[in-house]
Amino acid sequence: MLIYTKLANVLSKEALFYACILPFIAFFGGFAFLLYPLKDVLHPTALADSLLQSLGPSFLGPVAILRIWSFCLFYVMAELWGSVVVSVLFWGFANQITTVDEAKQFYPLFGLGANIALVFSGRTVKYFSHMRSNLPAGVDGWGASLKGMMSLVVALGLVICGIHWWVNKFVLNDPSLPKAEARKKKEKPKLGMMESFKFLLSSRYIRDLATLVVAYGISINLVEVTWKSKLKAQFPSPNDYSSFMGDFSSYTGIATFSMMLLSRYIFRKFGWGVAATITPTVLLITGVAFFGLILCSEPLTPLLATWGMTPLLAAVYVGALQNIFSKSAKYSLFDPCKEMAYIPLDEDTKVKGKAAIDVVCNPLGKSGGALIQQFLIFGFGSLAASTPYLGGILLVIVIAWLGAARSLDKQFTPLVKEDLKSKLREGKLSAMSSAVLGRNTLKPEVTYRFVSAMNEQGFLEGRYVPIIDGKPVASEAGVSAVVEARLPEASDDKDGSSMQESGPNGSTSSTSKEPAPAK
């Protein structure tokens, strides 16, 4: 976050995008082809053993991080990828070029491509899981699959850079496209890092946004870690575990795709406030079902046996459904709602507030969930013994989440209305100043003529085109259309039919009281 904030002050928006994403692409490629093959050389195993002997078993965790530092670094970079590339870079770019009205229509659709890819990525993980099981003895199957998957990450990361470059060069700079109205930036003094933190903490709007992000991170972490502990007990084999997670990713993509289509109706029918409360409500209901099944597993054992399931397998399936529904609601409703909330803000609050929330609060939510579980495990001896307390903490956090969503809704709607009013005032002032300065001239009347032109497929077609200085506009008429420069003086047909003129290539033009049919 510190680096991003500094770079945002000195680099252009396009250069900032590449400066953030290219180091990730280089790392993932370098890890698969350099760091992982050289792990035995790079990992200080002897030093870790000596430190563990001198410091004692209390420092097992920190010493283990040092022992396999490259694996831990990969985990950190993989976690940051979602926060930096998706939350900051992609959504920041979308917020720059999208209005609130457009966002309500298109933000839910922006995630459709990502969730279609999620279906295929699940199949890819499953493919590599089976590939590892079919390799001969002595071959590092995980190393082979890692090279394949990271090669895909590098290739698709370069595709992201290419698409971003193409959009900036050929779409945003296209003079034929309407330009988005730039929102006036309020004049604010340049703030340092500590002043920026104080400014963000003093804003109730940003605090509510931060509460949403932190609450989601803690809630999903509390449920997901408990579910994965059950999943690991059910599938102790790494290949079986990876294969199940591949199916889980595919089903998550399908569910999210369906929710994306439904979310457009929700935004149009019920508005931002209802959409923002759906995700915590879904997580609360499914979380209660999951923890209830774990706590009441013994009384439910005979009933589950009639369905051919053990309590452990039932907990795995219910937890999978809980995670699928929670993630689909998050991707289709929570993320669009969160990103829409940035749009009415001024540029300074938007850039620095977004970096602070997405890069700090999102990991803070995950870290908060992990700390809660660590304290409970330390206090009760195991994750299973602390399950009832995890359920109670989840209930409190989701209630706080719902309160922050309602509070943000009361602030978001007035900001949007004020933004629309300011645009209306700016338009009125612009029209008044133009009238006073004599720049408000009437648009000249445009004459249209019917022209026969050769289209791109080589066929003749007719169309009405505007005539400027006696000649048809080339982009409208086509290159092959040639029309005489002189205009017809009058129409001789009293019943409204048109007088036509032939051009050198057989094209015709007409002026008429009623449009001539285009053949």
Side-chain angles (χ1 to χ4, degrees), residues 61-301:
V63 172
I65 294 175
L66 175 64
R67 184 190 302 272
I68 51 172
W69 65 267
S70 67
F71 298 165
C72 297
L73 181 60
F74 180 88
Y75 177 83
V76 170
M77 294 295 286
E79 287 288 312
L80 285 177
W81 171 269
S83 299
V84 175
V85 178
V86 179
S87 297
V88 175
L89 298 185
F90 170 75
W91 285 112
F93 182 63
N95 290 340
Q96 293 168 14
I97 61 176
T98 309
T99 65
V100 174
D101 291 334
E102 292 171 338
K104 290 181 179 179
Q105 293 294 321
F106 298 112
Y107 271 23
L109 297 180
F110 285 169
L112 289 181
N115 287 282
I116 292 173
L118 189 61
V119 177
F120 290 101
S121 68
R123 298 297 92 191
T124 303
V125 171
K126 192 158 188 173
Y127 167 78
F128 283 110
S129 299
H130 290 305
M131 185 194 74
R132 289 198 299 268
S133 62
N134 296 328
L135 289 175
V139 177
D140 186 0
W142 177 249
S145 63
L146 185 66
K147 289 181 179 179
M149 287 189 284
M150 291 304 103
S151 297
L152 290 175
V153 171
V154 171
L156 295 176
L158 296 177
V159 169
I160 293 173
C161 295
I163 293 174
H164 183 267
W165 172 83
W166 183 83
V167 169
N168 278 277
K169 185 172 180 63
F170 296 106
V171 177
L172 299 183
N173 294 326
D174 189 348
S176 65
L177 295 178
K179 299 297 182 184
E181 183 180 354
R183 183 179 292 108
K184 278 191 173 182
K185 179 180 177 181
K186 295 181 180 179
E187 293 296 330
K188 287 184 177 289
K190 292 293 183 180
L191 301 177
M193 188 55 57
M194 293 304 299
E195 289 80 4
S196 297
F197 272 113
K198 292 178 181 179
F199 172 72
L200 295 177
L201 292 176
S202 64
S203 171
R204 178 188 171 194
Y205 194 93
I206 297 297
R207 286 202 307 271
D208 288 337
L209 262 176
T211 302
L212 262 63
V213 176
V214 174
Y216 174 81
I218 294 177
S219 300
I220 199 67
N221 183 270
L222 292 178
V223 178
E224 191 172 12
V225 171
T226 307
W227 171 62
K228 286 186 177 180
S229 67
K230 303 296 181 182
L231 184 62
K232 185 177 180 181
Q234 178 66 33
F235 300 105
S237 171
N239 278 340
D240 294 339
Y241 183 96
S242 181
S243 178
F244 181 88
M245 291 304 295
D247 290 332
F248 170 78
S249 297
S250 298
Y251 293 138
T252 302
I254 295 172
T256 307
F257 185 90
S258 303
M259 282 293 296
M260 288 282 186
L261 300 177
L262 181 62
S263 63
R264 298 190 69 190
Y265 171 79
I266 295 174
F267 277 112
R268 288 199 304 265
K269 183 70 175 178
F270 302 104
W272 188 92
V274 173
T277 57
I278 289 178
T279 303
T281 303
V282 168
L283 199 146
L284 177 63
I285 295 172
T286 54
V288 168
F290 174 69
F291 282 103
L293 182 62
I294 294 176
L295 296 176
C296 303
S297 59
E298 292 185 4
L300 294 175
T301 301

Side-chain angles (χ1 to χ4, degrees), residues 303-351:
L303 177 61
L304 295 174
T306 60
W307 295 342
M309 289 190 299
T310 63
L312 179 60
L313 183 60
V316 167
Y317 287 152
V318 172
L321 291 175
Q322 191 274 339
N323 277 267
I324 289 172
F325 288 137
S326 299
K327 290 181 182 295
S328 62
K330 188 253 186 186
Y331 296 143
S332 59
L333 295 172
F334 177 79
D335 285 344
C337 284
K338 176 170 64 74
E339 300 306 326
M340 285 182 198
Y342 289 110
I343 295 177
L345 301 175
D346 61 82
E347 196 68 20
D348 190 58
T349 307
K350 184 187 299 182
V351 172

